[in-house]
Amino acid sequence: MSLSSKIFLGMAAGVVLGTLFNIIGTNQWFAADLVAWLVNSAFDVVGQIFIASLKLLVVPLVFVSLVCGAAAMGVNARMGQMAIKTLSLYLLTTAIAVSSALLIANLIDPGVGIEMTSTATYEAGPAPSVKEVLINIFPTNPIRAMAEGNMLQIIVFALLMGVAITRSGDTGNRLLDFFESTNAVIMTMVTFLMHLAPWGVFCLLTKLFSELGIAAIADLAKYFFTVALVLLLHGLGVYSVLFKVLTRLSPWVLLKNIRPAVLFAFSTSSSSATVPVTLNVAEKRLGLDNSVASFTVPLGATINMDGTAIMQGVATVFIAQAFQVDISLGGYLAVILTATLASIGTAGVPGVGLVTLSLVLQQVGLPVEGIALIIGVDRLLDMMRTAVNVTGDCMVSTVVARSEGLLDEALFQDMTDRDEFQEGADEPPVHRRSE
Ligand code: ASP
């Protein structure tokens, strides 16, 4: 059985068992206490250790891999060109995502007739200014940036280091050898973890579904399914069309190859924790050169959140309808702009999209308490939107690599179920050095 199938099986078993536990718990059936104890001990422990191990690899892998990537690329016009292409595509896809969310939500009207019975309240935190956000991209202390897992700061430092290596002659080359070997070793650690993934996701999802209020979905069915529909249309339709037009390659092959990353994203609800797997998939299954993937993947996990923008678009329409507030055309344009920017500012961790939603709501004068209405179903939607976020990262990364001539097409087309996770360690580093 291929690894993706095993992970999928682990997920499905987790959903079924978790739902069963949920039913036992809610009805206080036989052994309800035992079930609750099991969920909070064994399942929770394994699930949390699994997430911790994934997170453990993010910072070292992003740093080391990007140093190698930047050194391979060197400082030249090509690097700037790649960065501009990546950023433009990330922004474009997010703007398309939120626009289609607004359009479809207005057709379905998920919030019409909603009675404002929610007693929950929600308070928005203070939003950082654009100036602060910009200054914050530049690290004052690389160790602190790594300790805090500040992805953009790590990216800036790694780019600088990689470029400096290429300018330091032999000394630089010796250091690069060290980074390349470290990169290969950390990739092997990702490999270990991917082999444990079926069990990890099984425990994570059993715990999650045993606590998930499925009943809440019934109350908010229209909102839930509108978000789910737009996510599906965007993740399968819009990406496929864009990918086909921009690369002339098969979107089906893309979707099939990225399955492990999408399943990880779904199970962990965190694009950031999924970065090691996304990088592994990008280089070993999609055939992207490390010099592209090491830049586009961590950047995408930090700023490219199409799924999140979709949720924010639908939620804005839903809350406006529930509170019977009309949004003008200018208001919608403001939503598109703010949701695109908010998704950049959304950290790739569970539930943050809901926090940055308050920025969008404030922009069009909607009450942030409206967020309390949708909190009940957000956990499940978070899983789905994170899967779309990661799909977007993979799609754009492949488009950029292809346009730069840095995509190994033979590897991309190779659909055999390679168990690439057992090879890794013996492979020599694949980075090209710039002249
Ligand atoms: N969980 C999402 C992610 O990590 C962010 C969000 O929408 O809350 O991509």
Side-chain angles (χ1 to χ4, degrees), residues 269-271 305 308 346-353 382 385-386 389:
S269 294
S270 168
S271 359
M305 309 264 170
T308 304
T346 305
V349 289
V352 184
D382 196 5
R385 66 179 183 251
T386 308
N389 291 343

Side-chain angles (χ1 to χ4, degrees), residues 56 152 204 268 286 321 324 399:
L56 165 77
L152 291 181
L204 266 182
T268 60
L286 293 175
Q321 289 174 343
Q324 285 149 22
V399 171

Side-chain angles (χ1 to χ4, degrees), residues 14-45 203 205-212:
V15 172
V16 172
L17 191 66
T19 312
L20 189 74
F21 283 176
N22 187 302
I23 297 171
I24 294 177
T26 350
N27 295 305
Q28 281 301 305
W29 284 350
F30 172 70
D33 289 342
L34 178 68
V35 164
W37 177 82
L38 254 184
V39 166
N40 286 312
S41 51
F43 285 96
D44 198 21
V45 168
C203 292
L205 293 192
T206 304
K207 160 102 171 54
L208 189 73
F209 275 81
S210 72
E211 290 166 351
L212 211 63

Side-chain angles (χ1 to χ4, degrees), residues 293-367:
S294 64
F295 174 70
T296 56
V297 167
L299 185 71
T302 316
I303 68 162
N304 182 48
M305 309 264 170
D306 295 0
T308 304
I310 286 173
M311 176 279 288
Q312 294 181 340
V314 177
T316 306
V317 174
F318 175 80
I319 292 170
Q321 289 174 343
F323 284 86
Q324 285 149 22
V325 177
D326 274 333
I327 304 179
S328 63
L329 188 64
Y332 280 119
L333 290 178
V335 171
I336 296 176
L337 193 72
T338 337
T340 307
L341 294 178
S343 87
I344 294 179
T346 305
V349 289
V352 184
L354 214 56
V355 177
T356 44
L357 172 61
S358 59
L359 297 182
V360 183
L361 295 180
Q362 278 165 347
Q363 190 63 38
V364 278
L366 286 168

Side-chain angles (χ1 to χ4, degrees), residues 208-209 212 214 217 224 266 269 376-385:
L208 189 73
F209 275 81
L212 211 63
I214 308 276
I217 295 178
F224 182 89
F266 182 83
S269 294
V377 291
D378 196 65
R379 193 65 189 83
L380 200 54
L381 286 177
D382 196 5
M383 302 166 84
M384 292 156 62
R385 66 179 183 251

Side-chain angles (χ1 to χ4, degrees), residues 6 30 71 91 182 205 211 214-215 238 319 376 388 420 428 430 434:
K6 283 188 206 154
F30 172 70
L91 288 177
T182 315
L205 293 192
E211 290 166 351
I214 308 276
V238 174
I319 292 170
V388 171
E420 62 280 59
V430 287
S434 60

